[in-house]
Amino acid sequence: MRDVVAEPDRVDRSGSAARPQRRRLDVLPYVLVAPVAIFIIGLAIVPALFTIIESFFTVNELDPPTRFSGLSNFVELFHNHAVTNSAANTAFYVVVGVALSTVLGIAMAVLLQRPFRGRGLVIAILILPWALPGVVEGILWSGIFDPNAGLINNLIATLHFGAGNGVLLGQNRLLTVGLIELVQVWQMTPLSTLLIFAALQLIPEELYEAATVDGANGWRRFLSITLPLARPGIAVAMVQALIATLNIFDQPYVLNGAASTGSSVTMETYFVSFQNLNFGQGYALSLVVALVTVALSLLVVRFIYRRVEL
Amino acid sequence: MATRRSRATWLGAAGLAAVTLLAAGCSGGSGKAAATGASTQTSGVTITVALPTDPPPQAALDAFKAATGITVNWSSSDWDSLQTKISAAATANTYFADVTNVDWSRVGQLGKLGWFLPLETYLDGNGLKADMPQLASFTLDGHIVGVPYDASYMVTTVNTDLFAKAGISTMPTTIDEYTNDLKTIKAKGVVANPLNIPFAAAEGLSTYWYETTQAFGGTVLDAKGKPQFTDPSSAGYKAAEWMVNAVKDGLVPPGNINVNDSQGEQTLMAQGQAASTFSDYSGLINSLYNVTDSSTVAGKVQYLETPGVSGTALNLSNPDGMGIPKQAKYPAAAAKFIDWFVSAQTQADFSGLNGQDKVWGSSFIPSRLSVVQQLSQADKLADGERLAKMLKTASPVFPDGAPTWYPTFSNAVYTNLHAAATGSMSVADAIKAIADVANQQSSNS
Amino acid sequence: MRDRRHHPLRAVGIVLVILWSIVPIYWAAKSSLQTESAARARPAQYVPLHPTLANFRTLLLGSGNVATGIRHSLLNIVIECAAATAVTVALAALAAYAFARFHFKGHNVLFFTVLATMAFPPYTTLIPLYRIMSAFNLVNTYTGIVLVYVSGFLPLAVWVLHNYFSSIPASIEEAGLIDGASRLQVFWHLVLPLATPGVISIALITFLFGWAQFLFPLVLSTDLSTQPLTVLIAALQGRHIVPSTLMSAAGILAIAVPAAIALLFNRYIVNGLLAGSTK
């Protein structure tokens, strides 16, 4: 991006006759940009400032008026069992979700790396999970997890592993969070795959040929060429997955309701704000999530991202 | 220069917009004037009625329209979502309905926050009080926040057929006898999991625990909101233990950790898969279990006087009420609707006294004592005598009204009891967690 | 030669990828065509033996609350997504063009700010937006919901369209300008047609984003007058006993439109997403 230039790029050669034209040019970009600027400032920046500022206030419908309260919102949240419990669940979602979607994304991107007949169709099918609403995916998968009519239990019965009527969600915590995250991974992986796929497309064929000539086998080529050169794409994919998993709401809400077994931090933010009507705590929780997102994203960029010149 | 001036103009405009939004946001919410656009018009308007039930027969609504000129737009949803909607609309000062649900448990909160219009200005409070024993639960500081449209209370239902198959001839009168009977039913293989407890993390679980606590002879919170269930010998503690142990002992189906109360009654009990629901809804025999379209146990279910510690215990009063949210567009029309809905004539129609075609499937028991007595006399109320007897003694779980922070408390109750049932928490820890929330909330307010 | 050696493994991989993407959707489609007892039957039916459209009939043609609710919320979601897409693409195109072609004071700051808001975690602004909308009495209105959607979708749209516009050689526009056309005429007649694939891509992606929204409309739309299909269907799960087959049918209804869009227009969508990812 070029540096900001105070004068318009059109060089004024014709003196005063060009003045009206320059004035017209000066206003136009601002007119074009103004609507977006108003939206972003009014409905993104200002609300974000709200969140930051009001998390240090008591904003509670049951406890008016709004007043400054320092860190008390954060302290109360820290002592709220439901919130700390959801933080543990969310940590699981993040670790498992980012790891699994990235690994699967790399695997699928490598599968698609070389053109083959029908690749377009495979990509079309592959992006389906990404295109569907997370909420409805939760409903589709709850049909798979259903104790009686679900796919998993039906398979268990068919393969004679058991009676095939086990309760999969809600009973065992590890199984519950695992299955919930599986649904989110199903949704996130297509985007990871595409991002890494785009990075792979930039790797020149000659590098692989040279490596083969040198005697490297497939696995070696993957580790030494593919993986390192795909790092920019992998980093972006990981950041996307990070944001999605940290803010997970739809899947646990639909699959396991208000129970604490699979509850996520965003769910608790929703309950604290709209059920308990304690908006101050809701802001505080949102702020914490935002800070964690920024911190972890910076870590990913610092350690995974690498500027690649090809 | 032109550049700087136009830039300044635009940035200034954007900044002004931002400041306006900021200022508006700060003053938003409860600062706004109440009931903008409220109208005293009645005839010719359309009101929205939002309740957690299915609508009554269309013929009844048509008759109402013919008599008053008011068209009713019925909107139904599940209880938990509706409560969130009520809060959201009230805090946002937006209109979403002219008439909506006022649950006994939220009267404290709704009344204190002024979210509902006081009904004594629109209706004859004294007349209602005389015929509705449960109106007191909906009154706060002399204001009528809502009017009960049913006399719902929690009651134990038993499938006598399944009890008989297990060789039990006399019905249990204490909770120990009750538990043993259920174990017998399980042991004899009559039903694999005879006891119905809806352990999904939803309001129905809290209500179940309140009823069980009363059966064990105690209360949940005192007038100041302090927990009464922290001691292991207290009723609430024992009730929680009893419920969770029932899951561990296999008396409750393992899948019930995901079943909420409406699913529990509508599937398990009505399909004969459960032998008893300890805390069921009064009137369900009439409206569900005996209706051959939706149940396979018609004629087999009866009410049981609550088995308590040493004999019959009281029932938990759990009436559903309706009120007018303060943002209603047509409060006068809404009041007419409420008046009509809870009138003796309408309640008699809904409960089947005047023909099956007028029955409203979601009516449990009418809130008017006079109609209940009529029903019992006309023998139209299944197990009517028992019902009327228990109605007279049904008592609210919060004798001094539910605290304003009730939703927070109930959330703690059902999430922690659910966690104890799944085994991820001990009963002791669950009780402590619930008590902590009660202590914290009561000391804040 | 190297490719052929990898073929069997890659073929297996491709099949697994396809199964992974399709099976959950297939399972829901299968159960939606079954009665509840057929779905629970043992031995399990992996293909419906007696397919029936009863579930869909109940949901779409019935006269009960559920059916009217579904029809109404389907209308709502289409209106909300279409409006949000139209406004987003229009505003983003204008702004992206300005960013791509003009140098003006504040260009960098503004551009960076718009993109930086993409990095906000999605729900950071949920509560304040709710309170702002309620202050203006816009809760439970199409306007309020569309405004919130647009504010969320603008950054990516600006970014993607900026990439497309930047890749169009300036010489084409200069030719038009020399011929006496105004900037806006050049934009409309010369630039936009060339950028049509990009515009279509971001329009489709924005529409899909709108369709996928859940928590924002859950909070901002309090009843059927504005509730989108996704919120209503999630609420169905919380209501009376809804058989898993009926829920599956509702799910299939909710994914029909986005699935069709994704399959039919996948080229545009993939290109749009990839254009949004290149630095």
Side-chain angles (χ1 to χ4, degrees):
Chain A
M1 220 156 301
R2 281 178 273 180
D3 292 333
V4 173
V5 172
E7 310 288 9
D9 55 351
R10 194 161 289 269
V11 177
D12 172 26
R13 286 188 217 278
S14 39
S16 57
R19 271 200 171 248
Q21 197 181 23
R22 195 190 302 170
R23 190 166 292 150
R24 197 168 63 237
L25 270 175
D26 286 347
V27 169
L28 186 59
Y30 294 108
V31 173
L32 294 176
V33 166
V36 169
I38 294 178
F39 261 100
I40 296 299
I41 294 177
L43 296 181
I45 307 279
V46 164
L49 287 176
F50 249 87
T51 301
I52 298 174
I53 296 173
E54 295 224 301
S55 34
F56 299 98
F57 283 69
T58 296
V59 186
N60 190 340
E61 285 292 324
L62 302 178
D63 189 14
T66 302
R67 56 191 185 277
F68 183 75
S69 58
L71 290 175
S72 71
N73 282 331
F74 298 95
V75 170
E76 277 167 26
L77 285 171
F78 191 67
H79 288 123
N80 184 327
H81 293 291
V83 171
T84 46
N85 183 70
S86 72
N89 288 339
T90 308
F92 177 91
Y93 293 141
V94 172
V95 170
V96 171
V98 174
L100 207 51
S101 70
T102 307
V103 167
L104 286 176
I106 295 175
M108 292 195 214
V110 167
L111 269 177
L112 299 169
Q113 191 175 4
R114 309 260 172 271
F116 56 89
R117 197 177 308 156
R119 182 168 75 167
L121 181 63
V122 175
I123 293 183
I125 294 178
L126 185 141
I127 61 170
L128 267 180
W130 169 85
L132 309 178
V135 140
V136 185
E137 295 185 346
I139 292 174
L140 298 183
W141 280 82
S142 70
I144 295 186
F145 298 142
D146 188 87
N148 294 303
L151 174 61
I152 295 185
N153 274 316
N154 278 356
L155 282 175
I156 292 178
T158 308
L159 297 171
H160 300 294
F161 284 156
N165 56 6
V167 174
L168 294 167
L169 287 172
Q171 182 61 58
N172 180 306
R173 185 163 174 190
L174 195 57
L175 185 61
T176 304
V177 291
L179 292 178
I180 290 175
E181 189 50 35
L182 178 63
V183 181
Q184 193 184 31
V185 166
W186 190 69
Q187 184 184 31
M188 296 188 300
T189 306
L191 185 58
S192 301
T193 307
L194 283 182
L195 291 170
I196 300 174
F197 172 80
L200 292 183
Q201 296 304 295
L202 299 173
I203 303 178
E205 189 61 25
E206 297 83 58
L207 283 178
Y208 288 110
E209 286 170 5
T212 316
V213 163
D214 285 347
N217 66 9
W219 185 243
R220 206 60 259 259
R221 286 197 299 273
F222 173 74
L223 285 179
S224 319
I225 303 175
T226 312
L227 217 45
L229 293 180
R231 274 171 73 157
I234 295 178
V236 179
M238 284 178 74
V239 170
Q240 302 272 16
L242 194 60
I243 296 177
T245 48
L246 267 171
N247 287 273
I248 186 174
F249 179 89
D250 302 2
Q251 285 89 353
Y253 186 80
V254 164
L255 285 167
N256 209 34
S260 56
T261 325
S263 175
S264 68
V265 173
T266 306
M267 281 175 65
E268 290 305 318
T269 311
Y270 172 70
F271 290 135
V272 156
S273 312
F274 295 99
Q275 192 180 72
N276 302 357
L277 303 174
N278 192 332
F279 290 107
Q281 285 192 357
Y283 288 134
L285 207 43
S286 299
L287 182 59
V288 169
V289 169
L291 290 175
V292 171
T293 308
V294 169
L296 291 180
S297 303
L298 286 177
L299 277 179
V300 167
V301 169
R302 169 77 179 76
F303 288 108
I304 311 281
Y305 186 87
R306 188 209 273 169
R307 194 160 180 74
V308 169
E309 298 287 338
L310 284 165
Chain B
M1 275 189 58
T3 320
R4 257 181 251 142
R5 232 203 345 257
S6 39
R7 171 175 55 100
T9 316
W10 289 116
L11 283 179
L16 201 60
V19 166
T20 316
L21 285 166
L22 192 64
C26 281
S27 68
S30 31
K32 282 278 231 156
T36 43
S39 156
T40 51
Q41 202 187 349
T42 56
S43 180
V45 308
T46 302
I47 58 169
T48 300
V49 174
L51 289 178
T53 59
D54 286 331
Q58 189 58 38
L61 295 174
D62 291 339
F64 174 68
K65 176 172 176 179
T68 59
I70 303 171
T71 314
V72 172
N73 176 14
W74 193 280
S75 161
S76 46
S77 53
D78 65 285
W79 189 92
D80 293 84
S81 307
L82 184 57
Q83 302 310 311
T84 311
K85 227 182 271 198
I86 293 174
S87 301
T91 53
N93 268 303
T94 52
Y95 163 82
F96 86 102
D98 298 278
V99 176
T100 191
N101 174 248
V102 173
D103 196 77
W104 63 270
S105 61
R106 297 195 69 190
V107 171
Q109 183 187 62
L110 303 173
K112 175 173 174 189
L113 294 170
W115 287 355
F116 279 76
L117 298 176
L119 292 176
E120 66 272 8
T121 51
Y122 293 96
L123 305 167
D124 170 23
N126 289 326
L128 288 175
K129 214 189 317 189
D131 204 13
M132 286 184 188
Q134 295 172 320
L135 187 63
S137 307
F138 290 86
T139 315
L140 188 72
D141 294 337
H143 294 297
I144 302 180
V145 178
V147 176
Y149 58 84
D150 65 32
S152 176
Y153 55 87
M154 308 316 291
V155 64
T156 307
T157 48
V158 288
N159 185 322
T160 49
D161 198 46
L162 295 174
F163 269 68
K165 280 203 182 113
I168 299 167
S169 46
T170 33
M171 282 302 173
T173 52
T174 67
I175 193 124
D176 286 334
E177 283 171 25
Y178 178 79
T179 316
N180 284 335
D181 283 348
L182 291 174
K183 288 189 174 148
T184 310
I185 295 179
K186 179 180 171 69
K188 296 237 171 104
V190 175
V191 172
N193 311 98
L195 179 58
N196 197 6
I197 303 184
F199 266 111
E203 179 74 14
L205 179 57
S206 306
T207 318
Y208 206 103
W209 180 59
Y210 304 150
E211 162 81 345
T212 315
T213 302
Q214 264 206 341
F216 273 88
T219 53
V220 176
L221 298 172
D222 69 8
K224 296 207 186 65
K226 296 293 177 204
Q228 303 292 296
F229 48 84
T230 46
D231 193 294
S233 61
S234 64
Y237 195 103
K238 289 206 275 214
E241 249 180 352
W242 180 83
M243 286 167 67
V244 173
N245 284 343
V247 181
K248 297 210 169 92
D249 295 339
L251 289 177
V252 176
N256 272 31
I257 49 164
N258 291 326
V259 162
N260 62 33
D261 56 350
S262 52
Q263 291 167 323
E265 282 92 48
Q266 291 177 6
T267 344
L268 296 171
M269 197 71 187
Q271 301 295 316
Q273 290 166 324
S276 172
T277 305
F278 187 73
S279 172
D280 205 339
Y281 292 91
S282 58
L284 264 190
I285 298 185
N286 256 55
S287 54
L288 176 64
Y289 302 137
N290 277 358
V291 177
T292 40
D293 282 344
S294 37
S295 121
T296 57
V297 296
K300 298 185 184 155
V301 179
Q302 271 188 357
Y303 299 113
L304 184 69
E305 273 121 55
T306 312
V309 173
S310 47
T312 309
L314 294 178
N315 300 77
L316 177 68
S317 182
N318 185 39
D320 298 294
M322 50 172 59
I324 307 178
K326 72 174 196 271
Q327 288 294 321
K329 283 195 189 132
Y330 303 111
K336 280 208 155 133
F337 174 81
I338 296 181
D339 204 28
W340 165 78
F341 202 83
V342 301
S343 67
Q345 175 66 45
T346 312
Q347 289 204 346
D349 286 345
F350 284 166
S351 49
L353 272 172
N354 301 326
Q356 273 298 107
D357 55 318
K358 297 208 169 109
V359 167
W360 178 39
S362 303
S363 87
F364 294 122
I365 315 184
S367 51
R368 285 181 180 271
L369 200 48
S370 56
V371 183
V372 173
Q373 281 160 345
Q374 272 182 296
L375 276 173
S376 181
Q377 278 155 13
D379 217 15
K380 291 247 182 177
L381 199 52
D383 220 355
E385 265 187 54
R386 246 195 219 113
L387 272 186
K389 192 161 63 147
M390 291 191 281
L391 173 57
K392 292 217 188 82
T393 54
S395 64
V397 73
F398 301 112
D400 304 288
T404 55
W405 35 269
Y406 175 77
T408 311
F409 175 69
S410 176
N411 181 288
V413 171
Y414 61 68
T415 44
N416 286 299
L417 286 183
H418 170 91
T422 60
S424 58
M425 232 187 178
S426 68
V427 174
D429 287 338
I431 291 284
K432 175 160 188 323
I434 303 173
D436 283 347
V437 169
N439 280 325
Q440 189 205 34
Q441 292 290 323
S442 56
S443 55
N444 272 356
S445 54
Chain C
M1 228 181 300
R2 180 170 24 94
D3 281 353
R4 235 173 282 138
R5 211 181 338 131
H6 281 247
H7 252 235
L9 210 57
R10 188 167 66 181
V12 169
I14 301 286
V15 168
L16 285 177
V17 166
I18 294 182
L19 283 179
W20 159 262
S21 307
I22 294 275
V23 164
I25 302 175
Y26 168 76
W27 190 257
K30 173 214 82 127
S31 13
S32 69
L33 295 171
Q34 286 181 313
T35 60
E36 189 64 13
S37 46
R40 288 170 184 238
R42 290 297 152 81
Q45 292 181 13
Y46 293 99
V47 178
L49 293 176
H50 303 285
T52 162
L53 286 176
N55 288 325
F56 290 104
R57 240 177 271 133
T58 313
L59 291 175
L60 288 174
L61 302 175
S63 56
N65 264 340
V66 172
T68 37
I70 288 195
R71 287 195 295 270
H72 204 149
S73 60
L74 188 56
L75 181 68
N76 287 340
I77 197 174
V78 168
I79 292 179
E80 286 156 13
C81 290
T85 303
V87 175
T88 302
V89 171
L91 297 186
L94 294 176
Y97 183 65
F99 284 128
R101 285 287 175 261
F102 294 91
H103 298 284
F104 50 94
K105 201 84 186 256
H107 170 290
N108 279 6
V109 170
L110 199 54
F111 192 53
F112 177 73
T113 308
V114 170
L115 296 188
T117 58
M118 254 201 288
F120 285 2
Y123 301 122
T124 316
T125 50
L126 173 70
I127 304 166
L129 279 175
Y130 169 76
R131 304 199 93 204
I132 291 176
M133 288 300 144
S134 70
F136 285 98
N137 274 331
L138 285 175
V139 174
N140 207 34
T141 59
Y142 284 143
T143 315
I145 292 174
V146 170
L147 284 178
V148 169
Y149 283 5
V150 170
S151 70
F153 303 150
L154 270 179
L156 181 66
V158 170
W159 172 241
V160 169
L161 288 175
H162 174 266
N163 283 352
Y164 274 97
F165 290 146
S166 303
S167 68
I168 295 173
S171 50
I172 299 180
E173 292 166 65
E174 308 220 332
L177 286 165
I178 289 173
D179 282 347
S182 74
R183 267 291 180 182
L184 286 178
Q185 283 176 317
V186 163
F187 176 66
W188 185 256
H189 292 290
L190 293 177
V191 177
L192 267 188
L194 285 173
T196 302
V199 172
I200 295 181
S201 297
I202 197 62
L204 292 168
I205 293 175
T206 306
F207 190 86
L208 288 176
F209 279 169
W211 196 277
Q213 287 307 305
F214 178 64
L215 184 50
F216 275 100
L218 183 67
V219 164
L220 290 169
S221 72
T222 50
D223 67 33
L224 265 183
S225 61
T226 54
Q227 238 174 32
L229 186 61
T230 40
V231 173
L232 184 79
I233 287 192
L236 276 186
Q237 264 213 341
R239 284 233 257 147
H240 325 291
I241 175 74
V242 181
S244 66
T245 48
L246 196 61
M247 277 315 300
S248 297
I252 295 292
L253 277 182
I255 66 169
V257 169
I261 291 180
L263 285 174
L264 290 174
F265 300 110
N266 73 90
R267 280 271 144 83
Y268 287 108
I269 295 173
V270 170
N271 289 340
L273 286 176
L274 296 185
S277 74
T278 51
K279 283 268 162 202

